[in-house]
Structure formats: structure tokens, C-alpha cells
Amino acid sequence: MSDFKSGFFVGGEACNGRVLVVDDEPDIRKVVKMTLQKAGYDVLEAENGEKAIETINSGENRLMLDVMICDIRMPKVNGAEAIAYFRSNYPHVPLIVLTGFPDTDMATSFLRQGVVDYLVKPVEGEKLRSAVARAMEQRELARL
Amino acid sequence: MEHSDQTKVAILGAGRGGRALLDLLHQIPSIEIVGIADRDPAAPGLQRAHALHIPVTANVPDLIGNHGVQLIMDVTGNPEMEAYLKAHKPPTADILSGSASRLLWKLIQHESKLEAELLQAEKLAGIGSFAAGIAHDINNPLQLILGLAESLAEERDLAAVHEQALDIVEAVKRTSAICRDLTRYSRRASPHEDVSVSINAKLDEALKIARYASSFHDIEMLKQYQPGAAVKGNPDELLHVFVNLITNAVHAMEQAGGTLTLETRVLGGQVDIRISDTGCGIAPEKIPEIFEPFFTTKAPGKGTGLGLYNVNTIVSKMHGQITVESKVDQGSTFTLTFPHAQPNQEGCL
């Protein structure tokens, strides 16, 4: 298990899991998607919390969505609201916050709510991938 | 405009002191400046007098003798002038000269310095609230730049390399625009002469700045601009006025969202600028207080209480008027009215 990180990326072609990226900036969704696809993840996008909730409630995503990466400052349903919704309705889906505005109080509160990681933009691809890998591991444990 | 109870004032000396006096006195309705005199035709106060349509002369005896002058303000600093006035002033006129006029000049300077300090203090206090907006707007393109650069390091396809490199260039440009907007806003209002300012362009610039200060999520924007709306004034100060009013409007809609309407209209030699929100509104008993210094309804640490006070100061200085209509839970409309100026050929300043 200690070697799981390197093991996780072997090949990078098979689907390693499905990730939903929630950010109002198309640029961010594009670059996060690019980074994660290279590591073999299937990546879905949503432009705000409302769309994220719609996405997870549609079809197979209800079961197939493994990890959500979520911005905080967004229109309509913002990140904090979306996270609260996901925590109470889909507690088995691990959450990663990816925000442009580091705020210690907010980070503490999110981590208390069970958010796996609190990442501040700009985040290196390697760090993002390892956060997702950790979240995937949690998702696996939840399935057992 | 002429009132019989106006005090008729003549200003002698059109250097910096004379110009400051003009700026101050012409704002006071109970004072009529009958003229300003200086031997030097290039004196700065004379330029200002021309702009304000105040008669200019080099003929002191005529100015003080023939226009019913009640108060002669001598800021020439010239002892001979002081002696001349003592000997030749009309019996009904008072003289302010020598040390008394120097004291007055110092007081005026002090007041205008205080005004500028208050404005700057409020602006800087406000910039603290920009942190979240700036961080968001800088870190997002940085994320893109970092992600693209990492990808470039592994990219073998030259066409993809080309495309990603261009994306990086664009992202850098966007990021540097943020710094440019903010440094322009945070600098001290430049003391330059009044110029023709395009209102529509200034409102758009203010919108960009206000977006850093507050979240515009859930706010619908409505712009109804009449092309060519222009006023005379200091562009930096006018920007400050707009940022303030837009930020207030957005804050008023913080809880439930709403519509922000920016409207400009040129009508009968006047420009009307309307900034409306559909937010929480102002309680009727608070309305008379909102332009008072240090009045705020915001939580401690959120507002300086200087915003609308400074807005009002700037608007009066520009010979404008500000009025407010508000209904609790329905929203507020701030209307600014200025004399219309010819639009500047070079565009906005």
C-alpha cells in the first residue's frame, strides 16, 4: 500500500476513475482536465455548484462518480454550498477543494467537513494527481 | 444665478494662491467673484478664471473701483499693492491682505490636503477588500499558465506546442491587466486640471475595479448608455465616485442577488448618471445621514463611513448634484447630474 501512488499511474490508459471538476473558469477546467486525463482519469466538467449537483444526479454518475474537485468562488450555487450538498447526499464521494483564494478559516472548516484536500491555485500537476489518487483510495475504501 | 445678497469679491493676484481662492470661492453660492487681476497674463489663476467664465483684467483701479466690490482679497504678496489698496479702496469695501490673506491661503491649502488625505485613506481601506477578488483573478490564469507549461515540457507535437505557448502569452496579458487596473485605481488622484471625461468608458472601468471588491455572482447587469456622455472633471476622482457607488449597489444585493443598472443620459445640457440596485434599500430615517462622514451601516471593519462623504465632496467640486431614491427591500437609485461637456476627441481619460 505504501507504494500505491506509483502503482496507480501504471499505464495511464485504462480508466482510473471518474472525476468531476467544478469551476466557473473554462481555462481551469481545461487545464485540470488535461492534467488528469494524462493520468488516465475520465474527467467531467461543471461550471458551478448547481451544474455539479445536476451532473451527479444524472444517470450513471450517481454511482460512477468517484471524486469531485471544487472551486469556492462561483456563481449560482457556490463551492461551499455544493460541498455541503455533496457531503450530505453523497458522503462516499471524496471532495478536493481547489481555490484561488487561500483562507485558513475556510480551509479548517472544509477539512472538518471531511474534505480530503484543500489545494490553492496554482497547483502543480503532480500535486493535483497525488491528491486525486489519495481521494480515489478513499473512494475504494468506501466501496468495501 | 445672480442674487442681490451675494457678496461681491475681487481677487488680486492669480498665482497659486489666487487660483486656490477661485476654486474655493466659486463653489460658494453667496459669493460673486467680479474679477481677478494679475500683471502676468500667463498666471495659472487667470487660466482657471477663463475656464470658469470669471472676468480677467490687468487693470486694478477699474476692478476695485467700478464693480460694487465689497471685499478685496489681495494675494499678490506685494507690499506696494497693500499700500496702494489702503490709499485707494472704495470706502464700502473691506480688504483682506498681508498676513490675513497668507493665513487664509494656508487654511485653504490645509483643507484641500485633508480632503485628498480622506479620499486616499478611504481608497486604501477599500483595497483590503479586494484581496479575494485579486487572488481569484491572478491565481486562475496562473493555474492555466502552470498547467500549460507542465504540459509543454512533455509535448512532442509542434502544433500543440505552438497553441499552448500562445495560450500562455494570453494568460500573462490578462494577469498583467489586473495589476495595471489596480495601480491606476490606487494611486493618488492626480492633481491635473479638469478635462473632458467619457462617462460610459469611466463606468466600465469602475465596473472592472468593483468586481475585485465584491462578488458579482447572482447579479444581473443592465447598461443603458447614451453615446457621447461626457463631463468635465478629474478622471481619477470620477472613477473613485463610480467604484464607490457600484460597490455599494452590489453590497446591497449581497444576500439575494438582483439587478445592477447603469444608465447615462444627455438632456438639455446636462448629463444624468444613474446607478440602481434592487437590493436591501436604505431606511428613510437614514437617508439624510448617508453623506455624513463616518456614517456606515456596514459591519465594523467592513466600511470606513467615508465612501459617500467623499463621493459627495467630489460631485460638488465638479458642480454636480447627487440625489438618492430608496425603498427598503426594493432597492436604491443614486442619480448624479453634471453639466454636459464636449466629448474628448482622444477618447476617455
Side-chain angles (χ1 to χ4, degrees):
Chain A
M1 212 50 185
S2 62
D3 204 19
F4 113 92
K5 231 197 272 179
S6 54
F8 214 85
F9 294 109
V10 173
E13 275 148 9
C15 177
N16 285 331
R18 185 172 290 184
V19 183
L20 173 62
V21 181
V22 192
D23 201 303
D24 56 330
E25 283 285 329
D27 283 345
I28 297 297
R29 299 199 300 269
K30 170 174 142 183
V31 78
V32 168
K33 186 174 184 171
M34 197 170 77
T35 305
L36 294 180
Q37 275 177 339
K38 281 187 182 160
Y41 295 109
D42 179 17
V43 182
L44 302 177
E45 300 178 36
E47 66 197 57
N48 57 49
E50 194 182 85
K51 287 268 156 57
I53 291 168
E54 250 175 61
T55 305
I56 197 169
N57 284 324
S58 67
E60 58 169 29
N61 286 334
R62 225 183 280 268
L63 295 170
M64 299 292 286
L65 189 68
D66 296 310
V67 172
M68 175 167 96
I69 300 176
C70 192
D71 186 20
I72 300 302
R73 208 176 138 112
M74 289 184 301
K76 304 239 167 114
V77 177
N78 68 31
E81 291 160 343
I83 286 168
Y85 177 89
F86 270 69
R87 286 317 291 162
S88 59
N89 293 284
Y90 295 91
H92 58 275
V93 175
L95 304 177
I96 295 169
V97 170
L98 177 59
T99 175
F101 183 52
D103 178 325
T104 321
D105 292 344
M106 218 187 248
T108 317
S109 134
F110 284 134
L111 293 172
R112 260 199 212 116
Q113 286 178 57
V115 163
V116 180
D117 239 314
Y118 184 90
L119 304 175
V120 176
K121 295 171 192 166
V123 64
E124 292 99 341
E126 191 46 46
K127 210 166 156 189
L128 181 64
R129 281 190 292 259
S130 68
V132 171
R134 262 198 312 280
M136 283 292 173
E137 186 192 14
Q138 242 189 50
R139 177 77 170 105
E140 285 306 312
L141 290 174
R143 269 191 233 274
L144 294 177
Chain B
M1 268 303 273
E2 259 188 55
H3 303 287
S4 54
D5 56 350
Q6 277 185 314
T7 307
K8 293 183 189 301
V9 176
I11 301 174
L12 306 182
R16 288 194 304 142
R19 186 176 64 178
L21 266 181
L22 266 185
D23 280 339
L24 181 73
L25 296 182
H26 93 275
Q27 292 181 48
I28 304 173
S30 62
I31 287 179
E32 183 200 345
I33 305 172
V34 297
I36 181 165
D38 202 294
R39 274 186 303 211
D40 174 9
L46 298 186
Q47 315 295 323
R48 179 60 56 93
H50 282 303
L52 298 170
H53 307 294
I54 289 166
V56 164
T57 180
N59 185 344
V60 173
D62 171 68
L63 178 60
I64 65 169
N66 299 332
H67 301 273
V69 170
Q70 292 158 290
L71 178 62
I72 301 166
M73 302 183 97
D74 168 23
V75 284
T76 56
N78 179 351
E80 282 171 35
M81 180 62 84
E82 214 178 321
Y84 174 84
L85 289 176
K86 272 199 188 120
H88 296 92
K89 77 166 180 79
T92 51
D94 292 319
I95 303 175
L96 189 79
S97 68
S99 57
S101 78
R102 277 194 293 279
L103 179 65
L104 182 67
W105 162 230
K106 282 209 170 109
L107 286 174
I108 294 171
Q109 272 185 317
H110 185 65
E111 188 187 292
S112 73
K113 216 171 99 191
L114 277 182
E115 225 167 58
E117 291 298 327
L118 267 185
L119 186 67
Q120 189 64 7
E122 182 230 335
K123 221 191 297 187
L124 292 181
I127 284 180
S129 64
F130 288 12
I134 297 171
H136 181 266
D137 282 32
I138 289 184
N139 287 336
N140 270 336
L142 279 182
Q143 179 72 69
L144 180 68
I145 293 166
L146 180 62
L148 290 171
E150 282 179 340
S151 155
L152 271 180
E154 294 166 9
E155 191 61 67
R156 295 283 171 269
D157 175 6
L158 205 57
V161 168
H162 185 74
E163 190 187 319
Q164 290 175 15
L166 288 180
D167 282 352
I168 290 180
V169 172
E170 282 309 309
V172 170
K173 280 188 191 157
R174 275 211 305 283
T175 319
S176 59
I178 297 163
C179 300
R180 197 184 50 229
D181 291 346
L182 286 171
T183 44
R184 186 188 295 181
Y185 175 69
S186 62
R187 74 183 177 195
R188 221 163 251 277
S190 49
H192 55 60
E193 308 282 309
D194 290 351
V195 291
S196 175
V197 186
S198 156
I199 290 300
N200 301 342
K202 211 34 82 179
L203 279 169
D204 284 342
E205 193 182 339
L207 259 182
K208 270 199 283 184
I209 304 285
R211 278 178 199 278
Y212 297 117
S214 17
S215 161
F216 272 58
H217 297 146
D218 307 324
I219 286 176
E220 203 190 321
M221 272 291 322
L222 219 68
K223 285 189 202 172
Q224 292 165 346
Y225 290 170
Q226 178 162 347
V231 304
K232 243 187 163 57
N234 180 317
D236 296 342
E237 291 183 347
L238 202 61
L239 176 66
H240 185 77
V241 165
F242 292 159
V243 170
N244 235 301
L245 294 175
I246 292 172
T247 305
N248 280 348
V250 172
H251 283 165
M253 298 186 282
E254 212 161 36
Q255 294 303 321
T259 307
L260 170 68
T261 311
L262 305 181
E263 224 182 315
T264 60
R265 210 171 43 175
V266 184
L267 201 72
Q270 283 195 334
V271 179
D272 282 349
I273 304 150
R274 226 175 272 231
I275 297 173
S276 318
D277 64 69
T278 57
C280 59
I282 309 163
E285 71 272 15
K286 302 272 188 209
I287 289 183
E289 296 175 76
I290 57 173
F291 295 111
E292 295 296 316
F294 305 114
F295 174 80
T296 181
T297 55
K298 293 178 183 166
K302 290 262 176 181
T304 57
L306 290 172
L308 287 176
Y309 169 75
N310 282 331
V311 164
N312 195 28
T313 308
I314 295 170
V315 171
S316 331
K317 213 166 76 179
M318 291 174 59
H319 314 289
Q321 277 185 327
I322 182 165
T323 55
V324 56
E325 286 165 74
S326 187
K327 278 215 172 94
V328 171
D329 292 335
Q330 291 187 23
S332 309
T333 298
F334 283 81
T335 306
L336 308 174
T337 308
F338 295 104
H340 184 225
Q342 281 310 309
N344 195 322
Q345 293 303 315
E346 293 148 42
C348 87
L349 261 162

